[in-house]
């Protein structure tokens, strides 16, 4: 069996590693020109870490992540509403990891390149079309200029190609753009002193405005400071209108835009304004999603991830 995966993000790479371990021939195609450390922080909970440990990736992830110790929910004045241990402190066999998304992807990519072969991971290949037949699926890929540069035949095509999935659009051509829930997010990561021991995740605020702060890397500057992920979410609309900016990772935020909402928070133990100002750059994008599908597998194709 031969499986083609379009999209070499976290989902596509993890799927490829498991398929390879099962003895299945797998080949990946990524439309970006390279595997770069894009994005900011994410949390990988113990049930997911257990799967990654099963792939032999625990030590590699541990080297670039934070073992989250405690999750604290606060109101917008910094008063604790709820606190609970996380990961090993909560009794799980494996940690909860707070990690930079790009570094997480890099760990998966390096494992895939070593085990599957770097020549089986093609960057700069965007899926343009595919045909699903009785005996095979044939996929065609274009380069940056739109010229077809590769055609592959496989037994299965996995669409792990994100919120603007070509595979999904093939099966649901009239779906339209992603839905916006009316919330705008500003996200960044800043090198700063550890907060209360350096293993704390704080979620402060409510449904209309929320701040999320947690560390994602230790000793980032060689002097003991951490890389701290921060998010400010503010509801700007009921979601009935289109978002003000296209949903993506690449629109840089401005201090003026996010500062207009900081008076919604008063967190005595966290210098939220200082974290925002200290970031080399941060990004703004509307919180968008796709509606659930009645099914995501058709013939020899299936969807995975976003």
């Amino acid at each position: 069996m031969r499986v083609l995966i379009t999209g070499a993000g976290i989902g596509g790479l993890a799927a490829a590693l498991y398929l390879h371990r099962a003895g299945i021939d797998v080949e990946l195609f990524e439309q970006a020109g390279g595997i770069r450390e894009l994005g900011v922080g994410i949390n990988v909970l113990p049930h997911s870490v257990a799967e990654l440990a099963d792939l032999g990736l625990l030590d590699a992830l541990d080297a670039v992540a934070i073992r989250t110790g405690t999750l604290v929910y606060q109101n917008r004045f910094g008063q604790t509403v709820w606190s609970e241990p996380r990961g090993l402190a909560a009794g799980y066999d494996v940690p909860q990891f707070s990690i930079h998304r790009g570094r997480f992807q890099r760990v998966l990519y390096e494992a895939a390149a070593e085990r599957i072969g770097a020549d089986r991971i093609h960057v700069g290949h965007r899926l343009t079309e595919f045909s699903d037949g009785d005996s095979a699926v044939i996929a065609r890929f274009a380069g940056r200029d739109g010229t077809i540069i590769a055609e592959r035949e496989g037994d299965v095509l996995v669409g792990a190609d994100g919120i603007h999935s070509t595979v999904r659009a093939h099966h649901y051509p009239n779906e339209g753009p992603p839905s916006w829930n009316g919330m705008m997010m500003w996200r960044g990561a800043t090198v700063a002193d550890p907060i209360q021991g350096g293993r704390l995740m704080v979620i402060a605020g409510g449904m209309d405005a929320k701040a999320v702060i947690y560390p994602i890397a230790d000793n980032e500057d060689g002097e003991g400071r951490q890389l701290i992920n921060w998010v400010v979410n503010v509801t700007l609309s009921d979601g009935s209108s289109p978002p003000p900016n296209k949903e993506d990772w690449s629109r840089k935020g401005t201090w003026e835009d996010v500062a207009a909402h900081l008076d919604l928070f008063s967190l005595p133990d966290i210098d939220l304004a200082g974290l925002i100002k200290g970031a080399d750059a941060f990004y703004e994008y509307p919180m968008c999603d796709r509606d659930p599908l009645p099914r995501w597998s058709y013939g020899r194709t299936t969807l995975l991830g976003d």
Side-chain angles (χ1 to χ4, degrees), residues 57-215:
L57 300 176
L58 186 63
D59 289 343
L61 290 168
D62 212 4
V64 296
I66 292 288
R67 293 187 175 197
T68 312
T70 305
L71 169 64
V72 174
Y73 286 97
Q74 298 178 343
N75 62 20
R76 67 188 187 94
F77 301 108
Q79 298 166 319
T80 296
V81 176
W82 174 262
S83 176
E84 65 180 38
R86 305 297 286 182
L88 294 173
Y92 289 97
D93 294 331
V94 292
Q96 173 176 325
F97 284 137
S98 296
I99 188 170
H100 189 290
R101 182 206 166 277
R103 297 178 188 181
F104 185 10
Q105 184 184 15
R106 174 63 63 179
V107 168
L108 293 171
Y109 170 77
E110 290 177 351
E114 178 184 352
R115 301 175 192 182
I116 302 170
D119 60 334
R120 307 290 286 172
I121 307 172
H122 308 281
V123 297
H125 283 61
R126 177 177 58 85
L127 179 69
T128 59
E129 59 180 349
F130 61 90
S131 56
D132 187 358
D134 293 336
S135 60
V137 58
I138 299 174
R140 297 174 184 86
F141 301 89
R144 295 182 65 87
D145 63 357
T147 303
I148 299 298
I149 57 176
E151 180 177 292
R152 292 291 192 278
E153 180 177 302
D155 296 289
V156 174
L157 172 65
V158 177
D161 47 348
I163 198 167
H164 300 293
S165 168
T166 299
V167 179
R168 180 173 177 136
H170 175 90
H171 295 305
Y172 297 90
N174 300 317
E175 186 176 27
S179 300
W180 182 40
N181 69 354
M183 181 169 285
M184 182 63 73
M185 296 186 290
W186 291 271
R187 303 191 64 179
T190 305
V191 177
D193 291 331
I195 299 171
Q196 296 185 28
R199 296 292 181 269
L200 179 67
M201 180 178 183
V202 175
I203 301 176
M207 294 300 293
D208 292 331
K210 183 184 300 182
V212 183
I213 302 101
Y214 55 89

Side-chain angles (χ1 to χ4, degrees), residues 241-254:
S241 60
N245 301 304
K246 183 180 183 296
E247 67 290 344
D248 58 29
W249 291 80
S250 59
R251 181 181 175 86
K252 285 190 175 182
T254 67

Side-chain angles (χ1 to χ4, degrees), residues 222-233:
E223 298 180 3
R225 297 200 297 170
Q226 293 181 313
L227 184 63
I228 298 179
N229 177 84
W230 54 266
V231 188
V232 176
N233 299 345

